[in-house]
Amino acid sequence: MHFKTLPLASEVKFVRRPPLEDMLSYEGGSELIQSWLDERIVLEPGPSLLFDQKLAILFPFHPLLREFYPDSVRQLFPETYLVAKDSQFVFDGKPLSLDELSNLSGSKRQFILKYAGAKKGLRAGGKAVYNLSDCNHQKVQGLLENALQDWEEHRSPWLIQKRVQQKYPIVFLDHVAEEIREAQLYALFRPMYSFLPDEPSEIIALTALFRKDWKVHGSSDAVTLPVEA
């Protein structure tokens, strides 16, 4: 494992890469990309910004792409839509416009707005992720207007998702109290896929993060556990 450094392209055959923007900023990043282009190493995932974004969560629900995904795939994710002027939201079978969404009462506005692009300061760490039920009408309208503008002017995507409120029972070591504890916590599942050339994709590892707070990400109070796949 390397931290803010990279292995030499001549010394490796397989690299599980960091985000592409970070990788290219490190010494030797361009050489690794060239080695991948020359088919001398395997980069996992491939050097595409698509893998550094949340945008792909949208694909099974997008009108132009949904036919390529079975319902079994859609059932893995909450209903997800791009925040754009021409987007049509359908949650639980009911159409909902942006104006209607922002005018809902807080208790009925159970949706998550999140940045879905590759911008370094926003793409990870729970940044630019908002629970709209916690925001007042003015705040919601401002967030949605900014998201619309970001897409129209910069093609910088934001997503609306139905909020999923589910906790999981876990057993873990509390390293502060130095004791085994049980808790009901929110979860974020992180499957790691292998996309080797000329081979079917497969899950090679699966972990989950757990937190008391609904916004689960890699933080000091998060619990990390393996998941049997």
Side-chain angles (χ1 to χ4, degrees):
M1 180 177 289
H2 294 250
F3 181 68
K4 295 187 176 180
T5 62
L6 295 171
L8 295 176
S10 59
E11 295 178 348
V12 293
K13 294 294 184 183
F14 177 92
V15 174
R16 171 73 180 179
R17 71 167 176 84
L20 191 58
E21 182 182 358
D22 293 344
M23 179 177 170
L24 290 173
S25 70
Y26 301 152
E27 184 177 352
S30 298
E31 287 78 6
L32 285 178
I33 295 292
Q34 188 59 55
S35 293
W36 176 82
L37 291 170
D38 295 338
E39 299 184 346
R40 288 186 279 117
I41 67 168
V42 173
L43 283 180
E44 166 38 45
S48 168
L49 283 175
L50 182 61
F51 296 113
D52 299 338
Q53 304 179 63
K54 301 182 180 78
L55 187 62
I57 305 172
L58 167 73
F59 292 176
F61 303 94
H62 194 280
L64 298 179
L65 299 173
R66 63 178 296 123
E67 67 177 285
F68 300 105
Y69 296 87
D71 289 338
S72 59
V73 170
R74 272 181 285 278
Q75 291 169 1
L76 296 173
F77 305 96
E79 292 171 287
T80 305
Y81 297 95
L82 177 70
V83 180
K85 290 181 179 179
D86 56 349
S87 292
Q88 296 182 345
F89 307 149
V90 180
F91 292 104
D92 296 324
K94 300 178 181 179
L96 187 68
S97 69
L98 281 176
D99 288 338
E100 290 171 334
L101 187 151
S102 63
N103 288 324
L104 290 173
S105 64
S107 61
K108 293 183 178 180
R109 202 188 309 115
Q110 298 296 325
F111 301 97
I112 302 296
L113 173 70
K114 62 177 63 175
Y115 174 70
K119 195 178 298 181
K120 186 174 183 178
L122 298 177
R123 67 172 180 243
K127 302 180 185 70
V129 179
Y130 303 94
N131 178 358
L132 297 184
S133 67
D134 289 341
C135 305
N136 59 35
H137 291 290
Q138 185 176 1
K139 176 71 170 179
V140 171
Q141 289 176 347
L143 288 171
L144 293 177
E145 287 173 3
N146 288 338
L148 281 169
Q149 184 177 5
D150 216 7
W151 176 250
E152 292 299 323
E153 295 183 3
H154 309 293
R155 282 299 182 260
S156 192
W158 290 74
L159 302 180
I160 285 279
Q161 289 183 313
K162 181 181 175 182
R163 184 185 178 201
V164 176
Q165 302 181 62
Q166 182 174 353
K167 293 184 178 181
Y168 296 81
I170 66 168
V171 179
F172 65 99
L173 172 64
D174 186 326
H175 69 281
V176 177
E178 296 184 348
E179 62 182 15
I180 301 296
R181 295 184 54 198
E182 297 182 9
Q184 295 268 346
L185 303 177
Y186 293 103
L188 170 64
F189 294 97
R190 287 181 164 172
M192 184 182 295
Y193 288 84
S194 172
F195 299 100
L196 295 177
D198 303 319
E199 293 187 21
S201 60
E202 61 177 339
I203 294 178
I204 57 175
L206 180 56
T207 60
L209 292 177
F210 298 90
R211 289 187 78 205
K212 293 180 181 179
D213 189 72
W214 67 272
K215 190 186 291 189
V216 185
H217 59 94
S219 56
S220 60
D221 63 343
V223 177
T224 303
L225 293 175
V227 178
E228 183 177 355

